[in-house]
Amino acid sequence: MAAALSSEHFDNLQLLLKSYRGTNRRLEETTAETMNISTAQAAQLLCSLHLLSHHVLFHHLGSAEQILSLFPDSFHSSLKNLITKILLENSLTWRSEALRDQISLPQLKELDWRVDMVTGSDSVGRMSVPTCLVQIKMEEPCPSAGSETVSMVTVELSRESVDTMLDGLGRIRDQLSVVAAK
């Protein structure tokens, strides 16, 4: 959940009035130098901007009125309007980038299976046990450096394991049906 915005964060945003241009190189030091403020003040300013932008994105604030209502009444009017304009212009891009970069679980791409007879002796008639081999192909949405995006896993299941898995999948199907019906 997004952190609450306090009046301290808006006080730090008032530091923007000391400068007419922003920058994005070596953020804290360059911000401090450009705006003629201390590095500690620059860090507070950047933190407040970060919190405000995250609050806008997290709560899906998409209109100027919604964003302007966050600011205290005593906040500088022109600066409030400028920050709101910047947030509105960039929020769709930031939201889509955040969604694209979010970590998610692997996605199922293929499922293949077959039943084999595993024998425990030289004679096929003695101790032959059916097993199910399940081959799962998954795609990693965020692969680590050097790893492949698609991985394959093969699992051998006994009849009891297949029964347990099918029972569990049946419960999942029933729960999904209930949720989809709402």
Side-chain angles (χ1 to χ4, degrees), residues 12-84:
N12 293 331
L13 290 175
Q14 299 274 16
L15 293 170
L16 288 170
L17 291 172
K18 291 189 172 190
S19 175
Y20 61 89
R21 65 186 178 101
T23 182
N24 60 4
R25 298 173 309 229
R26 297 207 175 261
L27 237 31
E28 279 184 25
E29 292 85 13
T30 307
T31 301
E33 183 181 318
T34 301
M35 297 181 67
N36 198 24
I37 58 177
S38 71
T39 306
Q41 287 178 313
Q44 290 173 341
L45 170 63
L46 294 170
C47 179
S48 295
L49 286 170
H50 180 80
L51 282 171
L52 179 60
S53 63
H54 278 251
H55 184 85
V56 168
L57 292 176
F58 182 81
H59 293 287
H60 301 287
L61 304 181
S63 71
E65 294 79 24
Q66 290 174 318
I67 297 172
L68 288 170
S69 70
L70 297 174
F71 292 90
D73 293 335
S74 61
F75 198 84
H76 190 278
S77 177
S78 297
L79 184 57
K80 179 182 357 181
N81 291 333
L82 179 62
I83 293 171
T84 299

Side-chain angles (χ1 to χ4, degrees), residues 85-153:
K85 180 181 175 190
I86 292 169
L87 288 170
L88 283 173
E89 287 177 0
N90 292 293
S91 63
L92 288 176
T93 303
W94 294 337
R95 186 173 289 116
S96 64
E97 286 178 7
L99 289 173
R100 186 188 69 231
D101 294 340
Q102 79 181 13
I103 297 174
S104 64
L105 297 172
Q107 296 180 347
L108 178 66
K109 289 298 172 190
E110 284 183 34
L111 179 73
D112 191 22
W113 61 273
R114 72 175 195 257
V115 175
D116 284 348
M117 296 299 280
V118 176
T119 57
S121 72
D122 295 344
S123 172
V124 174
R126 291 181 19 208
M127 294 189 61
S128 61
V129 179
T131 62
C132 179
L133 292 175
V134 179
Q135 189 174 50
I136 304 168
K137 190 182 283 189
M138 299 174 296
E139 183 176 24
E140 296 286 338
C142 302
S144 56
S147 69
E148 295 189 26
T149 59
V150 177
S151 61
M152 196 139 20
V153 176

